[in-house]
Amino acid sequence: MKVLDRYLVRELLVPILFCSATLVFLILVADLFDNLDELLRNKTPIPVVFRYYLCLILMAFSQTISWSVWLGTIFLLVNLGVHNELIAMKAAGLKIITIVRPLIFLALLIGILTFLVSDRIVPPTFRTANELLEIYIEKKKGAEDKKVLKNVTYYSGGNILYYFRKFMPKAKTVEDAIILWMDPTTNQTTQKIFAKEGSFSNGSWTFKGITEYQTDVQGAVFGNPVMITKKSYPDVQVTPRDLIMATSESIYLSYHELKYTIDKLRENGIAVYSEKVDLYDRLASPWKGLVMMLLAIPLLASIHTRKSIAFNVLTCAGLIFAYHVFGAVSMALGKSGAIFPFLSAWGGNILFSTFAFLRFDRANY
């Protein structure tokens, strides 16, 4: 790496780290004041509070790193302009793309790091933080219920509908199960069972306390119900993982888990507009810092008088505001099915980065 490249990377990395630490700290402080009444009223132990905020750090980092990259870029370019360093670089015959190349490379590395953190670490730590918040801080539920999912509905295989009043993922057991078999042509119920409890072991479910009903072609029950103490159903192929995925919000899932959930929902004919937007956004969000950097470069890497620098910073802030508003609107349209999910998640990045590149040439003067 050239001396100039090392210098620029160092001068950008320091403000990014400082801004990131500051923004994360502000988010944690804001959350602390928001939960202060509950912390004091419920006498939450200090180790629990420490663990809760430790779990929130990476979530706050993933939400603020793009702003840290933007603020660091502004600080660097304004500082170079004020000290006439940009003039010296351009006078030496360097084009703006050559000058900012190490900065863009650094933003790419930060984007990759952000994706890995958001995909591999944030889902489990944020889930843990929410459990600690509900159990020990807000005390909305007891610790013994933290692994219980209630009123779980799952439509599987195109002709079987499941409902479980309680599902315990760790024990792989369910309570108060209702399973309906439906005719794929008429969508009428052909068989249904009620079971008091069920357990998953060795790849299959075993139910107890079963009441089994047979139905005619119109779905009406005929004959007497059959009472069965214990029975396994080979065609009941839903797994505990399927149920966990069906009841999890996208923020708690990794990219591959979210994709698995979408594939399962699509197999069952369920619209997945919102989930597909979340999936594409998982790939698009880490590059927001890079796009915000590209928007700042044409405005702040040009040679200006010191009086015009403040105006350019405000103009850049306006562009960043428009970028985020456009992203929010396109995400909403994508989740409603009005536009393609890919365009919903990536449209803002593509549009505004293209706009920035088209204006790069003006930064050579």
Side-chain angles (χ1 to χ4, degrees):
M1 183 182 289
K2 297 179 181 179
V3 174
L4 179 60
D5 291 348
R6 289 199 300 269
Y7 169 73
L8 292 174
V9 168
R10 184 178 68 249
E11 291 299 307
L12 177 61
L13 188 58
V14 171
I16 286 177
L17 293 175
F18 176 79
C19 291
S20 182
T22 302
L23 292 175
V24 169
F25 176 75
L26 291 176
I27 287 178
L28 297 184
V29 169
D31 187 87
L32 175 62
F33 279 103
D34 188 50
N35 294 315
L36 190 58
D37 290 342
E38 287 81 3
L39 289 169
L40 296 176
R41 181 171 59 252
N42 296 320
K43 298 180 180 179
T44 306
I46 295 298
V48 173
V49 177
F50 179 78
R51 186 185 175 197
Y52 168 69
Y53 284 105
L54 190 64
C55 290
L56 281 185
I57 288 177
L58 291 178
M59 181 66 180
F61 166 81
S62 65
Q63 291 178 332
T64 59
I65 186 60
S66 60
W67 292 97
S68 300
V69 171
W70 179 62
L71 292 172
T73 302
I74 289 178
F75 177 84
L76 172 63
L77 295 178
V78 169
N79 194 45
L80 293 178
V82 168
H83 294 91
N84 298 321
E85 292 177 86
L86 280 173
I87 296 177
M89 295 177 196
K90 293 174 182 178
L94 296 178
K95 295 291 185 181
I96 189 62
I97 190 64
T98 303
I99 297 172
V100 302
R101 183 171 55 199
L103 309 183
I104 294 175
F105 180 73
L106 178 60
L108 287 171
L109 292 180
I110 292 175
I112 295 172
L113 174 64
T114 303
F115 171 76
L116 293 175
V117 170
S118 301
D119 188 63
R120 305 295 176 84
I121 306 177
V122 168
T125 56
F126 190 61
R127 184 190 294 275
T128 300
N130 273 344
E131 289 181 353
L132 293 173
L133 177 67
E134 293 179 354
I135 297 169
Y136 297 104
I137 299 177
E138 296 179 344
K139 292 197 173 180
K140 289 183 177 178
K141 56 183 180 179
E144 70 278 2
D145 295 327
K146 67 180 180 179
K147 295 298 182 181
V148 176
L149 301 176
K150 297 182 179 180
N151 300 318
V152 178
T153 302
Y154 188 79
Y155 184 48
S156 173
N159 67 333
I160 303 180
L161 178 66
Y162 303 90
Y163 170 80
F164 306 110
R165 189 176 64 85
K166 285 186 178 182
F167 166 52
M168 286 65 73
K170 186 174 182 180
K172 298 181 180 180
T173 59
V174 295
E175 294 181 5
D176 297 332
I178 301 175
I179 304 177
L180 305 178
W181 282 261
M182 294 177 290
D183 188 291
T185 304
T186 63
N187 289 326
Q188 297 291 340
T189 302
T190 60
Q191 181 185 359
K192 60 182 176 181
I193 68 167
F194 297 87
K196 291 184 179 180
E197 60 183 81
S199 60
F200 185 83
S201 178
N202 299 322
S204 63
W205 286 94
T206 300
F207 295 96
K208 298 179 181 179
I210 304 165
T211 304
E212 190 175 281
Y213 299 85
Q214 298 296 326
T215 60
D216 57 23
V217 292
Q218 279 76 39
V221 176
F222 70 87
N224 295 321
V226 179
M227 311 299 291
I228 303 172
T229 304
K230 183 178 179 181
K231 184 178 179 179
S232 296
Y233 294 85
D235 50 349
V236 175
Q237 298 180 354
V238 63
T239 66
R241 185 187 178 198
D242 292 331
L243 300 179
I244 293 172
M245 296 299 104
T247 56
S248 296
E249 297 180 14
S250 60
I251 194 171
Y252 298 135
L253 305 177
S254 68
Y255 175 84
H256 292 291
E257 290 172 337
L258 183 56
K259 189 174 185 301
Y260 174 85
T261 302
I262 291 172
D263 291 339
K264 281 291 183 180
L265 293 174
R266 290 180 64 184
E267 287 176 7
N268 299 313
I270 300 174
V272 289
Y273 296 119
S274 179
E275 290 80 4
K276 290 191 73 174
V277 171
D278 289 336
L279 181 70
Y280 287 121
D281 185 61
R282 187 66 62 85
L283 298 175
S285 289
W287 311 111
K288 288 182 178 179
L290 175 61
V291 176
M292 293 165 73
M293 171 188 284
L294 295 176
L295 289 171
I297 289 172
L299 287 167
L300 300 174
S302 303
I303 298 174
H304 299 289
T305 62
R306 296 190 179 188
K307 293 182 179 179
S308 64
I309 291 178
F311 175 78
N312 287 339
V313 171
L314 291 176
T315 303
C316 183
L319 280 174
I320 299 303
F321 177 77
Y323 167 59
H324 282 87
V325 169
F326 181 90
V329 172
S330 63
M331 289 281 288
L333 291 174
K335 291 189 175 185
S336 67
I339 60 177
F340 292 113
F342 177 83
L343 288 178
S344 173
W346 282 93
N349 287 0
I350 294 172
L351 179 64
F352 281 84
S353 60
T354 301
F355 172 78
F357 275 120
L358 291 176
R359 293 172 56 86
F360 251 50
D361 188 60
R362 65 170 291 179
N364 288 313
Y365 307 102

